[in-house]
Amino acid sequence: MLEKLAVISPAFLRWNETGYTRQDAMTPFCKMPPTVDELTAIVQERIARKDFPAGQPWPEQGFRVWAWNAIDGPRGASFSFRAGVYGSHLPYPNQAEIRFASSSASNADVANPGTTKAMLEQLVAAWQPLWGGIFSLTYRGLRISPQPNMTREEIARRPIGPAPLFWNPGWMAYLSNDYSRLFAPPPDARVENLAGGGILVSTTDELFSSENSKHLAAADELGAALKRLEADVRARQ
């Protein structure tokens, strides 16, 4: 993943540790290009640990890794992953993601359709996930229903349903072979078969904007299609 990202954009040529101080955040995460041996040691150091007994490895909770690209401002980015989790209540126990700032003229070399699509394709190739996407946090905020104020007793009594299988990314979604065979894409969506298997579904060829009514309508259609897919998957389980 790191090697391919470095080819996609100069913004990903370097990665640093995260930390509470500027000095810590200027410590290189790994050499570039990285080696398997070095990354193996880094990941092994980041095994989840218990609070009690303090520091005891917690292998059921896997490994958690963070780094950032050492660039302040709009071109700043970070990656994180949680892997190897096999004893967790979390609905998405293993995941990898890259985060960067909202699109602007200052980060157009990163926050553009071509670059973000290439980033998603490389994450898929490296991690081989069941599903993924390019998410607009603004869009998600518009579509998530506000939670009512509840007492602790009300929270304890509320019914707990299964976590959704998918988040609606709004812009681009990746579905592995297991899911793509059952997926009926929206009529106006663009569907591309990836070389390694699975499909990439795009709602627009432009830079997604939550202020664009056409983009919002297309994103809503994708969300409805993902809900139908989820219902189909659960019916087959």
Side-chain angles (χ1 to χ4, degrees):
M1 179 188 74
L2 297 179
E3 289 177 348
K4 296 298 185 181
L5 289 176
V7 175
I8 291 173
S9 170
F12 307 133
L13 289 173
R14 173 185 177 184
W15 296 97
N16 278 11
E17 298 278 7
T18 57
Y20 292 106
T21 68
R22 186 70 179 179
Q23 182 177 355
D24 291 341
M26 288 295 106
T27 303
F29 171 76
C30 67
K31 298 176 183 177
M32 292 294 289
T35 65
V36 171
D37 289 344
E38 181 185 20
L39 292 179
T40 298
I42 290 172
V43 172
Q44 287 179 337
E45 290 176 356
R46 286 158 174 78
I47 190 170
R49 297 184 182 277
K50 298 180 179 181
D51 293 329
F52 183 82
Q56 178 176 324
W58 198 357
E60 296 93 334
Q61 295 301 316
F63 307 86
R64 303 172 188 179
V65 176
W66 298 267
W68 74 299
N69 66 345
I71 300 177
D72 292 320
R75 296 181 75 249
S78 64
F79 81 78
S80 64
F81 67 81
R82 186 170 60 235
V85 179
Y86 61 90
S88 174
H89 66 286
L90 298 173
Y92 314 106
N94 296 289
Q95 57 182 298
E97 67 176 9
I98 296 176
R99 289 182 176 240
F100 49 91
S102 299
S103 59
S104 67
S106 301
N107 64 0
D109 62 321
V110 178
N112 65 73
T115 300
T116 50
K117 178 186 175 185
M119 291 164 59
L120 177 58
E121 290 176 340
Q122 293 307 330
L123 261 69
V124 167
W127 293 98
Q128 300 180 21
L130 292 174
W131 67 277
I134 299 176
F135 298 88
S136 166
L137 296 182
T138 302
Y139 172 75
R140 282 184 53 77
L142 292 173
R143 292 299 183 262
I144 294 177
S145 301
Q147 297 297 314
N149 294 324
M150 301 174 68
T151 66
R152 290 188 177 183
E153 291 75 16
E154 289 173 331
I155 293 174
R157 291 196 303 267
R158 66 179 176 177
I160 305 298
L165 290 178
F166 314 102
W167 294 350
N168 178 10
W171 189 3
M172 295 185 195
Y174 163 77
L175 296 172
S176 63
N177 281 328
D178 290 343
Y179 290 144
S180 63
R181 290 194 296 265
L182 305 174
F183 182 65
D188 296 329
R190 177 181 176 183
V191 180
E192 179 182 347
N193 293 310
L194 299 185
I199 60 173
L200 192 63
V201 185
S202 304
T203 60
T204 176
D205 292 331
E206 303 173 317
L207 186 68
F208 183 85
S209 172
S210 295
E211 298 178 356
N212 186 313
S213 59
K214 291 183 178 180
H215 291 182
L216 291 177
D220 289 345
E221 290 182 357
L222 175 59
L226 290 173
K227 286 185 178 297
R228 292 192 293 269
L229 172 61
E230 178 172 347
D232 196 357
V233 171
R234 293 196 186 281
R236 293 167 183 262
Q237 291 177 340

